[in-house]
Amino acid sequence: MKFLIKFGLVFGLLLVVTNDVNAEDHKEMITIPAGEFEMGCKPSDGVYCLPGTTPHKVSLDTFKMDKYLLTFARYQECIDAGKCTEPYIGGACNYGMSWSADHPANCIIYQQAEQACAFEDKRLPTEAEWSKAARGEKSLIFPWGNAPEPSCDLAVINQKNGSKIAPGCGAGTTQPVGSKPKGASPYGLMDMAGNLFQWTSDWYSESYFSTSPVKNPKGPTSGASKVLRGSAWTAKYRDGVALTVRTPYAPQGQGYVVGARCAK
């Protein structure tokens, strides 16, 4: 049985390599074309619009975004090179677990996310870049479209199973990156909803969307909290999975629902 499992994994990896030279290390980047889209939330979106999500037009230059969330395997490479420090270890933090190499790295603070991206000659995305990569030019409510409703077929979330709650689709934590390909964004990015919230480079301001420049906005020049985008394996409701959600989070926060994705 062990031989069959190993052979299947190797065979599966070879199949992926023939189509995607970087898929085995989850470092593949996807080019997001230049253009305009709408950021924010409006009543017609059919979800609760949080304060600070005023709809507005944004125009971005071409950029690249990681197809996958930053994994522990990638983060370990940064640690081994002496460029990153070990993430927090504790309840629901998965660093050092025997099964977590291809899971998204959680419990990393903002600086650690920055360092891991810089190690790969990348950076954290702006909030606007993250939003376009997730929602596309049509400003979809979910990465896969405005329907169907969020489910474990599409994202790693907390979907009720009968009378029982099932965080992480029953795993009780994260799942391997890219494990829900049906939930990919219009550009093919994985886990833009569910699995982990994601750091962006923007400082948070509730009023910023109402004054944001149209061209390549980078957020306020200072603040107390950074913006997290996306949702996590704990998300239970439509409103919490929607791509309109933006969450302020202290840069030193090391939450078990927080991870990162790099851009360039």
Side-chain angles (χ1 to χ4, degrees):
M1 180 63 72
K2 289 183 179 179
F3 173 78
L4 290 175
I5 292 172
K6 289 181 180 179
F7 179 79
L9 287 174
V10 173
F11 184 69
L13 182 59
L14 290 174
L15 285 176
V16 173
V17 170
T18 59
N19 292 292
D20 175 2
V21 295
N22 290 317
E24 74 276 10
D25 57 15
H26 300 107
K27 294 179 182 178
E28 180 189 357
M29 303 197 83
I30 292 177
T31 298
I32 312 299
E36 188 176 85
F37 73 109
E38 185 178 76
M39 271 185 83
C41 182
K42 53 187 182 298
S44 61
D45 288 335
V47 294
Y48 175 68
C49 295
L50 292 166
T53 55
T54 306
H56 60 291
K57 295 292 185 182
V58 170
S59 178
L60 297 178
D61 294 335
T62 300
F63 64 98
K64 292 183 178 183
M65 184 87 91
D66 277 353
K67 180 176 181 177
Y68 302 100
L69 285 160
L70 176 72
T71 62
F72 275 116
R74 290 167 60 188
Y75 194 81
Q76 187 63 51
E77 289 180 13
C78 188
I79 293 174
D80 293 344
K83 301 298 182 181
C84 287
T85 55
E86 290 190 0
Y88 182 77
I89 299 174
C93 294
N94 296 334
Y95 178 67
M97 297 295 183
S98 60
W99 42 262
S100 67
D102 61 352
H103 282 238
N106 65 351
C107 302
I108 55 174
I109 66 173
Y110 180 82
Q111 184 181 38
Q112 290 173 318
E114 270 193 318
Q115 290 169 342
C117 289
F119 175 69
E120 296 183 359
D121 195 26
K122 301 174 185 178
R123 57 174 174 78
L124 288 172
T126 66
E127 183 180 8
E129 289 172 336
W130 191 98
S131 186
K132 184 176 182 182
R135 304 184 69 183
E137 294 182 352
K138 295 182 179 180
S139 299
L140 301 174
I141 302 303
F142 308 110
W144 55 87
N146 295 328
E149 292 296 299
S151 73
C152 282
D153 288 334
L154 300 164
V156 182
I157 55 174
N158 184 356
Q159 183 180 0
K160 198 170 184 180
N161 184 8
S163 61
K164 297 180 180 179
I165 60 171
C169 297
T173 185
T174 56
Q175 291 198 20
V177 298
S179 60
K180 305 294 181 181
K182 292 181 182 178
S185 82
Y187 300 109
L189 281 75
M190 303 293 174
D191 300 309
M192 296 302 275
N195 235 351
L196 290 180
F197 286 98
Q198 300 163 44
W199 288 110
T200 72
S201 60
D202 286 32
W203 290 105
Y204 178 84
S205 168
E206 191 173 299
S207 62
Y208 183 71
F209 275 23
S210 61
T211 60
S212 169
V214 172
K215 187 70 173 176
N216 297 321
K218 292 180 170 56
T221 56
S222 61
S225 300
K226 288 291 186 177
V227 177
L228 296 180
R229 293 303 301 254
S231 49
W233 54 273
T234 53
K236 290 190 289 186
Y237 306 109
R238 170 185 172 89
D239 291 352
V241 180
L243 296 174
T244 55
V245 175
R246 58 195 304 256
T247 305
Y249 203 69
Q252 293 299 314
Q254 49 195 11
Y256 58 79
V257 293
V258 178
R261 184 187 305 265
C262 306
K264 198 171 187 177

